[in-house]
Amino acid sequence: MKGFEYLEQELQEMKEGGLFRSLVPLQSDQGAKVVINGKEVIQLSSNNYLGLTNHPRMKKAAIQAVETYGAGTGSVRTIAGTFDMHQEFERKLAEFKHTEATLVLQSGFTANQAILSSILTKEDVVISDELNHASIIDGIRLTKADRKIYKHVNMESLEDALKDSRDFRKRLVVTDGVFSMDGNIAPLPQIVELAEKYDALIMVDDAHASGVLGRNGRGTVDHFDLNGRVHIQVGTLSKAIGVLGGYVASSQAVRDYLIHKGRPFLFSTSHPPAVTAACSEAIDMLLDEPERIERLWDNTEFFKDGLHALGFDTGKSDTPITPVIVGDEVKAHQLSDKLLTYGVFAQGIAFPTVAKGLARVRTIVTADHTRELLQEALDAFEKAGKELGIIKG
Ligand code: PMP
C-alpha cells in the first residue's frame, strides 16, 4: 500500500546503520531457559524476577478463574466490568503495601498515565528525574501542570527545582524507585526529606522494585522504611509478579478520584479474571515464599561479581538489572547477537532507550536461574566480549 514511503525510508536508514531490530519470538514459556529459533537458550532479558510467570500455582489460579468467571470481563470497570475478585485483590494489595487503598489498571504504563494526567491542574507543577521511565514522561505530557526536570538522582538539582516551585499550588516530585536501564535505586530518603522541607507530594514508580525490594517485595518505600511518607506508589504486576497490570497505591481519596477521572480506567476494559486471580496468587506467594526473593539476590550477586571479574563495565546497578555497557550502538547489538549464538538471550539496548554512547546489553537474572546456568552465561559473555574486544583477550 502506498503512503508510508517516508517511514520505509527511515527504516531503511536504521537498517543501514545497524539499528533495525526484529522482534524475537519465543517458542516456549518464559523461564530461565527459553526456545528461540528451535534452540534452547538462557534467558537474561525478561522481567520474570521471581520465576512466577509459569509457576504451577499461578497457572492453577488462572485456570480456576477462567472456569468460574470466563475469559473476559466484557466492559470497563465503571460500567459493568468490575468483578468482586477485582475489588478483593485491590484490598489484598493495599494491605500488602501498607496503604489505605489501591486501584489496579491495565498496565504499569497506564497506571502512570492515569495518575499523572488526572491529579494535577495548571496551578501545579510536576518535578521529574531526567531518567524516569517513558510512561512517566508520557503521563507528564498529558498533564496541564507545569513541569521541571531535575538531573538524574541529583539532590542539588532537585532542591533547585523545589525552590523555583514555591509559588505553585502543589508540587509533585516523581521518581522511578529502580531505574530500568541502569538498575540503580533512587535515593528515596533524601528525596523524601527534600520534599517534606518544601511541602511537596511524592510519587514513586516501583515497577522494578515490586516483588524485588523491601520486606516480601513490598518495594522501595518499604526497603527504606518510609511507609506513610510517600503519597503515591505505582507498581507493576507485569514483572516480578509475573502477569500483567499496574496499580496505584495511595489514599482512598486518590483511588476514588482515579475511578472518576483516570482516563485509562474509565475508557478501557478491565483485566480478564485469569490475570487478576494469578496476580492475587503471586501476592500470596511473596508472603509464603520469601526465599524466592533471597535466591534472586544471591543470583544477582553471583552474576554481577562474575561480570566484574571478567572486566565488564556494569555501571552503577545495585539491583538484579545489570547493564553491560558497551558504548557503541552497533557493538552492543553485535554482542547481543554473538551471545545468542553462544546460547544466551540478552538484548542490546541503544538510543533512544538509553543516551547516545551508552549502548548496552541489559541482563536480568531471576530466582529460577541455577548457578550452572549463570556460569554458562558468564562463559558466553567472556567468549563474546573477548572476540569483540570489549574485554581483554
Ligand atoms: N515504569 C517503569 C519504571 C518500567 O520499567 C515499566 C516497564 N518497562 C513500566 C513502568 C511499565 O510497566 P508495564 O510493563 O506494567 O506497563
Side-chain angles (χ1 to χ4, degrees):
M1 194 192 291
K2 278 198 175 243
F4 293 117
E5 296 76 12
Y6 67 106
L7 298 183
E8 284 163 11
Q9 190 187 331
E10 192 176 333
L11 290 166
Q12 186 55 34
E13 282 162 17
M14 288 161 71
K15 280 180 190 158
E16 283 159 15
L19 299 175
F20 181 86
R21 305 303 289 169
S22 300
L23 296 174
V24 180
L26 309 182
Q27 293 133 1
S28 61
D29 63 5
Q30 184 66 279
K33 283 185 135 189
V34 290
V35 177
I36 295 174
N37 295 331
K39 184 178 147 195
E40 225 182 30
V41 294
I42 301 166
Q43 169 63 294
L44 285 182
S45 283
S46 88
N47 296 309
N48 182 25
Y49 289 106
L50 299 175
L52 297 188
T53 56
N54 54 0
H55 191 280
R57 272 180 72 174
M58 302 281 282
K59 291 200 264 192
K60 192 168 164 212
I63 290 164
Q64 275 177 355
V66 171
E67 298 288 358
T68 310
Y69 289 95
T73 63
S75 177
V76 299
R77 285 184 59 185
T78 45
I79 298 175
T82 293
F83 289 15
D84 54 2
M85 66 178 329
H86 287 138
Q87 310 221 98
E88 279 159 24
F89 174 53
E90 286 168 336
R91 282 192 285 272
K92 182 188 277 188
L93 205 49
E95 199 174 308
F96 177 71
K97 292 289 288 182
H98 300 311
T99 57
E100 212 173 276
T102 65
L103 190 73
V104 171
L105 291 111
Q106 295 83 357
S107 68
F109 201 101
T110 54
N112 277 330
Q113 300 232 316
I115 191 85
L116 288 164
S117 66
S118 66
I119 62 163
L120 301 173
T121 71
K122 60 181 183 338
E123 293 170 73
D124 306 321
V125 61
V126 56
I127 303 172
S128 177
D129 186 292
E130 68 180 335
L131 291 192
N132 277 341
H133 188 255
S135 55
I136 294 180
I137 296 169
D138 286 6
I140 291 173
R141 286 182 178 143
L142 294 171
T143 172
K144 293 192 177 70
D146 213 327
R147 53 210 71 172
K148 291 184 190 293
I149 309 298
Y150 64 93
K151 291 200 190 104
H152 181 51
V153 299
N154 182 321
M155 293 301 100
E156 275 173 29
S157 174
L158 172 58
E159 184 155 22
D160 287 345
L162 283 162
K163 275 186 192 153
D164 281 352
S165 305
R166 283 193 246 241
D167 292 340
F168 288 93
R169 183 192 67 155
K170 289 281 174 193
R171 293 150 289 284
L172 175 69
V173 176
V174 54
T175 182
D176 279 4
V178 171
F179 289 88
S180 55
M181 289 301 139
D182 289 301
N184 54 321
I185 303 174
L188 209 50
Q190 291 95 307
I191 292 174
V192 168
E193 229 169 81
L194 277 178
E196 287 175 350
K197 181 171 165 192
Y198 291 91
D199 188 29
L201 300 168
I202 309 158
M203 167 174 154
V204 176
D205 173 355
D206 247 351
H208 285 280
S210 309
V212 173
L213 278 170
R215 283 166 298 155
N216 300 85
R218 284 181 171 83
T220 44
V221 172
D222 190 81
H223 171 73
F224 287 118
D225 224 357
L226 294 167
N227 286 302
R229 292 173 69 188
V230 169
H231 302 81
I232 296 164
Q233 296 177 62
V234 168
T236 181
L237 304 164
S238 328
K239 301 184 192 293
I241 303 303
V243 196
L244 173 73
Y247 60 88
V248 175
S250 184
S251 65
Q252 187 64 42
V254 167
R255 177 185 146 90
D256 290 346
Y257 195 80
L258 284 179
I259 289 173
H260 292 85
K261 306 275 184 173
R263 291 169 72 84
F265 187 84
L266 280 170
F267 295 108
S268 185
T269 299
S270 50
H271 272 170
V275 169
T276 305
C279 290
S280 180
E281 188 69 17
I283 300 299
D284 292 343
M285 289 180 72
L286 292 182
L287 295 168
D288 296 347
E289 300 179 13
E291 60 275 11
R292 276 183 181 276
I293 303 175
E294 277 167 38
R295 222 163 44 234
L296 168 68
W297 283 94
D298 284 349
N299 282 348
T300 298
E301 197 182 333
F302 175 80
F303 192 65
K304 261 193 218 306
D305 287 352
L307 287 172
H308 284 157
L310 290 172
F312 284 105
D313 173 5
T314 61
K316 50 194 179 213
S317 161
D318 24 47
T319 66
I321 300 172
T322 307
V324 174
I325 298 172
V326 175
D328 179 68
E329 312 199 340
V330 173
K331 204 167 244 190
H333 289 313
Q334 283 172 339
L335 176 61
S336 171
D337 291 344
K338 247 185 206 302
L339 285 167
L340 192 57
T341 63
Y342 297 147
V344 173
F345 181 44
Q347 280 279 25
I349 296 181
F351 181 81
T353 311
V354 294
K356 282 202 168 127
L358 287 178
R360 64 202 55 196
V361 164
R362 187 179 69 155
T363 67
I364 298 182
V365 300
T366 72
D368 270 5
H369 286 101
T370 60
R371 279 296 148 92
E372 292 70 34
L373 282 184
L374 292 177
Q375 188 55 55
E376 256 181 64
L378 287 170
D379 294 345
F381 264 97
E382 180 174 14
K383 206 165 155 200
K386 282 181 178 165
E387 282 170 10
L388 291 167
I390 299 166
I391 53 171
K392 289 199 185 90

